[in-house]
Amino acid sequence: MTAINALRTSTSGLNAQATKLSGISNNIANSSTVGYKRVDTQFESLVLEGSSSGSYSMAGTQANNRVEISKVGQVQYTGTDTDIAVNGTGFLVVNETSDSDGKYLATRAGSFRPDAYGNLVNSAGYYLQGVKLGADGEPVDNAGDNNVEGLTTVNINNISVASAPTTEMRTWFNLPKTETGYANPPPDADSFVSSIDYYDLTGGTQTLTYRFTPRIPEEDGASDTNTWTLEIFDSASGDLSSTDTFDTTKRVAAIGMQFWSTGDYAGTIGAIWDESGALLADADFLTQQTTMAAAGSAPVLSGVPNPATYGATAASPSTDYGDTDNLAAASVLGTYDSETGVLTVKVGVQGGYEGYDLPITIGTFNSFEGITQLTGSYQETKVEKDGSGFGLLERVSVEEDGQVIATFSNGKSRAIYELKLAVFPNANGLNPVSGDAYEMSLAAGAVRLLQPGDGAAGTTSGASLESSNVDIGTELTNLIETQRAYSSNASVIRTADQMMEEATNLKR
């Protein structure tokens, strides 16, 4: 190799080390940048000419900086709900504009904050994209899992309030068995009363008042009747100007209930009379009661007992369990489904408005999971209901499956967006742009949008960020090596220059 070739080779070495130095300096400068991917410098030798004999003419080296896109950084908890980190494979999808009309990009820089309009935007000015969900949790406009253009900017200002009516309720009670025996005087009319709130169609709070009245025998020494009347009064029904909780215009349910007194099912519901006018009963229970009534060892139940007289007196008492023509004086309300154990009542009935159906689970025949009549005190054993009142948006969080959850001041939560992760066959082929984002390119392959946690996609972590994948110790070591390599190349250039000067002096 001539001195001139040595100069050219070492000069390429200086340029290559300078290229590496620029990558190291960029890594160190961005060691604290969220989602930053380290620049790695790769060297390759240059050959001007080679031969089959193995001899070649060398021309030095050149360096290429490559971004280590697929190398993940450490996920750190931040406590800020709108921060998002990706655990594993995949990228968050962002857009250059809030209306999603700009270029779609991929990023792992998940430090998002709402702008003045509620759009989630990161520190680089890119807007987070997702699938908008309706109140039912289904996509509002689903353009397909692999359609990037079907995504829209995540906005948390378009969900400000929330309320939902109560559409189902589960109420279980224990009724004291001892109260269905002879008593003189009878217990107070309001001895067994409970009030349970529910939400109407506008999110307002209303109250259902349950009143249980035992049917007691008319004479001392008679056996327990094991029979009760259940009335339910609705604060949103009937005469709203009345302050009487038990105003008959507010009554939305009035049914008769009879319980097993012996056997394996003692204390459970055996029969119910509802507004259909039919006796609903377990077959074995009906056989037992009919037999006992014929023998005079059990009281005859004639429809729904009248709570006004504790059921001791009813209009035209009947000895036929199948006779439902003569019920108590009180109107019978509510439809019972013996298969599901649901009593359906109409609430909000007033004026010309018919109200709406509210199914209330009270239990099936022969089941202890429902209203029971056991020895003991009167008490509510279970109260469950859905629905919610008026509530303001309090916070937004991100789940592992990519769902953006809105939590309201009424304690209710629901998903408002679903994030998708962009997965590429060759993530390192993406084209880096400013702001730690990447353009989708042919070299990266076709993008697939996957729900976090599905297939090759990683999961999302809310209130967390992925830190830079730069290791400062490694970069400082590389800095020292680069400095020495640069100095060594400079030394070669000085030596070659001296040799050329010596050769020039030989001509003089």
Side-chain angles (χ1 to χ4, degrees):
M1 177 185 292
T2 64
I4 294 178
N5 284 342
L7 282 173
R8 183 169 55 239
T9 299
S10 296
T11 300
S12 70
L14 288 178
N15 292 332
Q17 296 302 328
T19 299
K20 183 177 181 180
L21 181 63
S22 67
I24 295 173
S25 63
N26 201 62
N27 292 339
I28 294 176
N30 287 280
S31 59
S32 298
T33 301
V34 172
Y36 173 79
K37 299 303 179 182
R38 176 180 179 274
V39 174
D40 181 53
T41 304
Q42 299 291 329
F43 292 87
E44 61 176 304
S45 60
L46 298 177
V47 178
L48 291 180
E49 183 180 359
S51 66
S52 59
S53 62
S55 62
Y56 58 92
S57 177
M58 295 177 292
T61 185
Q62 71 174 16
N64 295 300
N65 282 335
R66 297 179 179 177
V67 180
E68 295 182 336
I69 300 175
S70 60
K71 183 179 179 181
V72 301
Q74 184 178 0
V75 174
Q76 297 179 333
Y77 177 77
T78 64
T80 302
D81 291 329
T82 53
D83 284 343
I84 308 171
V86 177
N87 294 299
T89 303
F91 298 81
L92 299 170
V93 180
V94 293
N95 196 282
E96 294 177 325
T97 62
S98 60
D99 57 8
S100 301
D101 285 340
K103 183 183 296 183
Y104 287 93
L105 303 170
T107 187
R108 290 176 71 99
S111 180
F112 293 97
R113 301 290 185 275
D115 64 9
Y117 304 100
N119 301 308
L120 291 187
V121 58
N122 67 9
S123 56
Y126 298 128
Y127 295 87
L128 180 64
Q129 303 295 293
V131 177
K132 188 175 182 179
L133 304 178
D136 58 357
E138 297 297 322
V140 173
D141 184 17
N142 187 8
D145 291 341
N146 277 324
N147 193 335
V148 177
E149 286 73 19
L151 302 178
T152 186
T153 297
V154 175
N155 183 289
I156 62 174
N157 271 8
N158 58 2
I159 305 294
S160 56
V161 297
S163 64
T166 299
T167 58
E168 60 180 353
M169 185 179 290
R170 184 183 297 267
T171 53
W172 297 352
F173 302 85
N174 181 63
L175 309 179
K177 181 180 186 303
T178 54
E179 297 295 338
T180 65
Y182 178 77
N184 187 20
D188 184 76
D190 301 332
S191 296
F192 312 107
V193 173
S194 296
S195 295
I196 300 173
D197 291 339
Y198 74 95
Y199 300 101
D200 61 21
L201 296 175
T202 64
T205 302
Q206 306 295 342
T207 302
L208 293 182
T209 301
Y210 291 67
R211 182 168 71 179
F212 294 91
T213 306
R215 182 189 185 202
I216 61 175
E218 296 183 359
E219 69 279 352
D220 190 7
S223 61
D224 294 339
T225 65
N226 302 306
T227 304
W228 296 73
T229 298
L230 165 60
E231 298 172 282
I232 301 178
F233 300 84
D234 177 27
S235 64
S237 295
D239 184 4
L240 299 184
S241 64
S242 173
T243 59
D244 181 8
T245 300
F246 304 110
D247 186 330
T248 56
T249 66
K250 298 178 180 293
R251 185 163 48 200
V252 295
I255 64 171
M257 310 178 69
Q258 193 170 21
F259 295 84
W260 285 88
S261 59
T262 60
D264 294 337
Y265 304 126
T268 65
I269 300 173
I272 283 182
W273 284 258
D274 68 356
E275 68 179 10
S276 67
L279 169 64
L280 304 172
D282 175 74
D284 292 337
F285 177 83
L286 185 59
T287 299
Q288 180 202 66
Q289 294 299 307
T290 302
T291 302
M292 293 175 67
S297 59
V300 176
L301 177 61
S302 56
V304 179
N306 188 345
T309 58
Y310 285 88
T313 302
S316 303
S318 170
T319 59
D320 184 359
Y321 271 81
D323 180 6
T324 57
D325 293 333
N326 297 308
L327 301 179
S331 298
V332 184
L333 299 169
T335 303
Y336 177 73
D337 185 337
S338 60
E339 295 293 328
T340 61
V342 171
L343 173 66
T344 301
V345 303
K346 281 192 177 295
V347 295
V349 180
Q350 51 180 285
Y353 180 61
E354 297 181 354
Y356 70 94
D357 289 339
L358 177 60
I360 304 174
T361 301
I362 61 174
T364 56
F365 296 141
N366 309 337
S367 174
F368 289 95
E369 295 184 353
I371 297 178
T372 58
Q373 181 198 254
L374 301 171
T375 301
S377 61
Y378 168 79
Q379 60 180 311
E380 301 171 9
T381 56
K382 176 177 286 190
V383 175
E384 295 177 350
K385 60 188 177 182
D386 64 356
S388 62
F390 176 84
L392 296 173
L393 181 67
E394 284 193 332
R395 57 173 295 210
V396 172
S397 57
V398 179
E399 301 295 311
E400 287 188 355
D401 59 359
Q403 289 199 334
V404 181
I405 305 296
T407 302
F408 299 90
S409 58
N410 55 16
K412 298 297 181 179
S413 301
R414 71 177 181 89
I416 56 175
Y417 284 89
E418 182 179 72
L419 303 181
K420 299 285 188 177
L421 293 184
V423 178
F424 302 88
N426 176 31
N428 290 319
L430 293 169
N431 182 31
V433 295
S434 296
D436 300 298
Y438 308 95
E439 289 180 332
M440 303 175 194
S441 63
L442 292 176
V447 61
R448 288 188 299 155
L449 295 184
L450 300 177
Q451 184 175 344
D454 285 354
T459 59
T460 51
S461 292
S464 301
L465 290 174
E466 180 184 356
S467 60
S468 167
N469 63 359
V470 172
D471 179 69
I472 288 294
T474 300
E475 299 305 321
L476 292 178
T477 300
N478 291 338
L479 180 62
I480 295 173
E481 292 177 350
T482 301
Q483 180 184 17
R484 290 178 177 176
Y486 193 92
S487 298
S488 298
N489 278 284
S491 297
V492 172
I493 290 176
R494 285 194 295 268
T495 300
D497 181 64
Q498 292 174 359
M499 291 174 62
M500 292 180 63
E501 185 178 355
E502 289 292 336
T504 302
N505 291 336
L506 290 176
K507 298 180 179 178
R508 297 176 181 174

